[in-house]
């Protein structure tokens, strides 16, 4: 029996309640996300807030030329990519491992207790996280005094050489527990019959993890990896700006903090807008490229054509 096609206006009338519920979200996105995009025009101007966008002189691509030839900006890009790559290797797999460990815990009470403990730091602000690490590893900490008593003078919080390890450790403590939620949700959809069949076939726990659990997580892992690559040029602004003064801009300056100091603090609005626009375009290309690569390997990715 052929399916009767419903007109667009009939669909709107049928779903009008749901559509009305989306209106506030659409308005918020339009006002705070899309309308401000028009301000990117200052990237092609010598903009001054005292003159305004209309009367600011047009300088074509001069600001972008300054962006790509500025050594301080290039250092910020290098630090951003280095932090992203390091955390991709040493932070991204940790929520997966935690989800696998929690999934293997049979007792619900123990699982709930562990989840509550590892979730808790996510709700702390970066000010609290940095303060906790300062109290543990800083120059006035008990650990520092013990090491100094044995002739070892080392302050993890002010050493540029170990700053990468420090911020990754902070990110792991704060957000690794929260990151397992999606993976636990994916694991809950795995058919128990697959594990039972694997046990009947004589598969060990390790083989069941490799052949049943990880394939079930693969689409979620690829999706989150694509999103992480799209966010590669955005690392923790608040986390880094709180510690930039302690280790210096050479180690802690990333694109976001550089744009803030150059645009807001120094008042070079056009240069900062050009730098931010370059970052946005590159991030979009990373998402599109990673999504296309996911399609090549047979995964859905973030989106796929109908």
């Amino acid at each position: 029996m052929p399916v009767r096609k419903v007109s667009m206006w009939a669909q709107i009338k049928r779903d009008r309640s749901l559509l009305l519920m989306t209106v506030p979200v659409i308005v918020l996105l339009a006002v705070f996300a899309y309308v401000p995009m028009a301000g990117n025009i200052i990237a092609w101007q010598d903009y001054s807030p005292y003159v305004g966008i209309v009367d600011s002189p047009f300088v074509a691509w001069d600001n972008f030329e300054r962006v790509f030839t500025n050594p301080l900006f290039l250092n910020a890009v290098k630090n951003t990519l280095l932090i992203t790559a390091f955390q991709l290797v040493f932070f991204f797999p940790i929520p997966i491992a935690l989800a696998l460990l929690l999934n293997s815990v049979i007792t619900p009470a123990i699982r709930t207790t562990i989840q509550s403990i590892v979730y808790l730091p996510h709700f702390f602000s970066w000010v609290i996280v940095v303060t906790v690490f300062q109290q543990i590893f800083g120059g006035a900490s008990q650990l520092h005094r013990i090491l100094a008593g044995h002739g070892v003078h080392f302050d993890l919080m002010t050493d540029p050489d170990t700053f990468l390890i420090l911020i990754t450790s902070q990110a792991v403590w704060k957000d690794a527990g929260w990151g397992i939620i999606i993976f636990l949700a994916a694991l809950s959809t795995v058919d128990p019959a697959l594990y039972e069949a694997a046990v009947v076939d004589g598969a060990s726990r390790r083989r069941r993890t490799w052949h049943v659990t990880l394939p079930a997580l693969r689409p979620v892992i690829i999706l989150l990896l694509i999103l992480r690559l799209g966010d590669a040029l955005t690392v923790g602004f608040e986390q880094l700006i709180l510690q930039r003064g302690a280790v210096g801009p050479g180690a802690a300056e990333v694109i976001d903090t550089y744009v803030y100091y150059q645009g807001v603090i120094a008042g070079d609005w056009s240069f900062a807008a050009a730098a931010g626009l370059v970052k946005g375009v590159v991030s979009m290309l990373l998402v599109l490229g990673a999504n296309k690569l996911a399609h090549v390997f047979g995964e859905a990715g973030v989106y796929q054509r109908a």
Side-chain angles (χ1 to χ4, degrees):
M1 181 177 178
V3 180
R4 185 170 62 90
K5 187 176 180 179
V6 181
S7 66
M8 182 183 68
W9 291 111
Q11 295 179 25
I12 293 175
K13 184 177 180 180
R14 180 191 62 193
D15 300 331
R16 60 184 179 275
S17 299
L18 296 175
L19 293 173
L20 285 174
M21 292 173 61
T22 64
V23 170
V25 178
I26 294 173
V27 172
L28 286 173
L29 282 175
V31 172
F32 294 103
Y34 290 100
V35 173
M37 287 183 182
N40 285 324
I41 189 65
I42 69 174
W44 288 270
Q45 294 178 321
D46 184 12
Y47 173 74
S48 171
Y50 303 103
V51 176
I53 294 178
V54 176
D55 296 324
S56 294
F58 182 73
V59 295
W61 298 93
D62 290 355
N63 291 317
F64 292 93
E65 183 179 351
R66 290 170 56 205
V67 165
F68 290 110
T69 58
N70 189 298
L72 296 178
F73 177 77
L74 296 178
N75 178 70
V77 172
K78 184 194 74 173
N79 288 339
T80 303
L81 295 177
L82 184 62
I83 292 171
T84 298
F86 191 85
Q87 293 188 354
L88 199 62
V89 175
F90 295 100
F91 174 46
F92 185 79
I94 290 179
I96 303 173
L98 285 175
L100 294 176
L101 288 174
L102 282 177
N103 191 59
S104 65
V105 176
I106 300 176
T107 308
I110 297 177
R111 181 185 304 172
T112 303
T113 302
I114 295 175
Q115 287 179 358
S116 301
I117 293 172
V118 297
Y119 289 170
L120 185 60
H122 173 76
F123 300 98
F124 297 161
S125 69
W126 276 113
V127 175
I128 295 177
V129 173
V130 173
T131 302
V132 169
F133 272 74
Q134 177 67 35
Q135 294 299 317
I136 297 175
F137 301 107
S141 66
Q142 184 65 31
L143 177 62
H144 185 270
R145 287 195 289 268
I146 293 173
L147 293 176
H150 291 80
V152 179
H153 297 279
F154 176 72
D155 187 356
L156 180 66
M157 301 299 295
T158 60
D159 189 354
D161 295 331
T162 57
F163 183 67
L164 194 58
I165 299 174
L166 172 66
I167 60 174
T168 302
S169 302
Q170 293 169 347
V172 169
W173 184 67
K174 186 178 188 298
D175 290 327
W178 185 257
I180 69 177
I181 294 177
I182 297 177
F183 296 110
L184 286 176
L187 289 173
S188 66
T189 64
V190 180
D191 189 353
L194 296 176
Y195 290 106
E196 296 171 1
V199 171
V200 171
D201 291 339
S204 63
R205 179 183 293 273
R206 186 177 64 179
R207 302 296 291 182
R208 293 198 298 271
T209 300
W210 182 259
H211 292 288
V212 178
T213 306
L214 288 180
L217 289 178
R218 188 175 66 177
V220 178
I221 293 173
I222 291 178
L223 174 62
L224 294 180
L225 188 59
I226 292 172
L227 296 176
R228 184 68 188 91
L229 287 175
D231 208 30
L233 300 184
T234 302
V235 290
F237 172 78
E238 185 180 354
Q239 178 192 14
L240 292 168
I241 204 170
L242 286 170
Q243 302 174 91
R244 181 179 180 272
V247 299
E253 191 80 284
V254 294
I255 296 177
D256 285 347
T257 58
Y258 181 79
V259 168
Y260 170 75
Y261 278 101
Q262 192 71 22
V264 179
I265 303 301
D268 196 349
W269 304 95
S270 295
F271 179 84
L277 198 58
V278 169
K279 171 195 162 184
V281 172
V282 173
S283 298
M284 181 188 68
L285 293 177
L286 286 173
V287 169
L288 295 177
N291 193 71
K292 183 65 176 178
L293 189 62
H295 292 169
V296 172
F297 287 98
E299 298 295 336
V302 178
Y303 68 90
Q304 55 186 152
R305 294 180 178 177

